[in-house]
Amino acid sequence: MRTGRGRARSAAHRFAPLPTVTAALALTVVLLGVLPAAATNGTVWTTLPSTPTVRWGLAAAAAPCPVGQTGTCVYSVGGNSGGTSTGTTESYNRLTNAWSTVSPLSVPRRRLAAAAAPCPVGQSGTCVYSVGGLNTADATVATVESYNPATNAWSSLPAMPTPRAALASTAGPCPLGQAGTCVYAIGGNTGTANVATVESYNPVTNAWSTLPPLSAPRIFLAAATAPCPAGQSGTCVYATGGNNGTANVATVESYNPATNAWSPVTALPGPRSDLAAAAAPCPVGQAGTCVYAVGGSAPGATGTVESYNPASNVWTTLPAMPTPRLALGAATTVCPPGQTGTCVYAVGGLAAGGAPTGTLEALDPPPAPSDD
């Protein structure tokens, strides 16, 4: 493939992060307890216990906690650890403010994607899906597995039609003609080319469908599911940022499952790749659910955080992450102890200067006050 500078790279270095900028950075790592890190207009970052295993190029999702625990946990899945792909999977329980190591992927992978959706046919509850990536041989794979928290076990599922790494994934309403919630696999690189390919997995039918592609190929992009933009109804899938093979892009597109079509929406305020995304209540002063674009390469590790409001089709700049990072994961669930509401969690990645980090930070964007 081509890097962000357009130069060919050896297979051993495929999907390394885009060039970073070395800078002096004061890192605050809180291993026990929580620490409010920044606050602007009621929006607060909190630093939480780091992951037991430092990783980048990982994926994240929120799902029920593993057997023996209660509540919803944040899962960090796969990634690059010690210079190679790993199957390590860990869960953060906000009730105990602690990480647990759970069953690993059967196929270690980095530069994969993840989403939470109903478990596949024959199982009940909500599962974490791991999609695509690069294996330990540096080969691009179509591997898909689902983790069932109730059994603490991964199941192998039908492979994606198109092997891909550096892709994005999210769960949303299934496309036109199908019922239920599907897992979407968006963009990425096949090992020979960047692609605009979009495919969806239906847990009920245990089958993949090929959908309309993005307007152009993108890698290192992020995805989230939120209400459709103004003028459309229902819930849409958003593909945010990334790299087109020669440069970072600010492109944002929304896919409407009800019409089986992509639409352009307002671009990010600035181009970013290797970012993460999640959907959560909009920041204070706004109503509804927003898409949050977290960190990434601008180029160089950035702590930039912006939220997109589908109702106004406008991006809002929020307080930056305390730890600038790229190649990280993000997920949304209930806030940690001491806070209320729903938080966006940012986990792992590469900090400034290319240093791997296990940092976990949570952004609490309180919803707009009620008129009651």
Side-chain angles (χ1 to χ4, degrees):
M1 63 165 284
R2 308 279 292 180
T3 69
R5 295 177 182 268
R7 296 193 299 259
R9 305 191 66 177
S10 67
H13 293 90
R14 285 192 302 120
F15 304 111
L18 295 174
T20 59
V21 176
T22 301
L25 179 67
L27 296 179
T28 300
V29 179
V30 178
L31 298 179
L32 296 173
V34 296
L35 174 68
T40 301
N41 295 331
T43 303
V44 179
W45 277 101
T46 300
T47 301
L48 301 166
S50 295
T51 57
T53 308
V54 173
R55 285 170 284 158
W56 61 272
L58 72 163
C65 291
V67 60
Q69 300 180 36
T70 58
T72 302
C73 283
V74 174
Y75 289 83
S76 62
V77 183
N80 184 313
S81 177
T84 189
S85 295
T86 181
T88 299
T89 304
E90 296 160 340
S91 63
Y92 169 78
N93 188 326
R94 45 85 51 188
L95 296 175
T96 61
N97 195 33
W99 286 91
S100 300
T101 300
V102 299
S103 295
L105 294 166
S106 63
V107 179
R109 285 171 278 156
R110 69 186 187 279
R111 291 300 189 184
L112 71 166
C119 292
V121 61
Q123 301 180 39
S124 60
T126 299
C127 283
V128 175
Y129 289 79
S130 63
V131 182
L134 293 168
N135 64 16
T136 53
D138 204 45
T140 303
V141 297
T143 304
V144 181
E145 300 176 73
S146 64
Y147 172 79
N148 191 325
T151 59
N152 189 33
W154 288 93
S155 299
S156 295
L157 302 174
M160 282 190 296
T162 309
R164 282 174 282 164
L167 72 164
S169 183
T170 187
C174 290
L176 184 67
Q178 301 180 39
T181 300
C182 283
V183 175
Y184 288 81
I186 304 166
N189 182 280
T190 63
T192 57
N194 299 333
V195 294
T197 303
V198 179
E199 296 160 341
S200 65
Y201 169 79
N202 190 322
V204 175
T205 61
N206 196 33
W208 285 88
S209 299
T210 299
L211 305 175
L214 297 167
S215 62
R218 280 190 272 166
I219 57 173
F220 302 135
L221 70 165
T225 303
C228 291
Q232 301 181 40
S233 60
T235 300
C236 281
V237 169
Y238 290 82
T240 305
N243 187 282
N244 62 13
T246 57
N248 290 345
V249 299
T251 305
V252 184
E253 298 173 85
S254 67
Y255 170 78
N256 191 327
T259 61
N260 193 32
W262 287 93
S263 302
V265 300
T266 302
L268 288 165
R272 266 191 289 164
S273 69
D274 237 346
L275 71 167
C282 292
V284 64
Q286 301 178 37
T289 298
C290 283
V291 174
Y292 288 76
V294 182
S297 171
T302 180
T304 299
V305 179
E306 294 153 342
S307 64
Y308 170 79
N309 190 321
S312 61
N313 194 30
V314 170
W315 286 90
T316 300
T317 299
L318 303 174
M321 279 191 298
T323 309
R325 287 174 274 166
L326 55 88
L328 71 162
T332 302
T333 189
V334 181
C335 289
Q339 299 184 42
T340 59
T342 301
C343 281
V344 176
Y345 290 77
V347 56
L350 285 172
T357 179
T359 300
L360 176 67
E361 294 163 336
L363 173 68
D364 182 5
S370 171
D371 293 332
D372 295 340

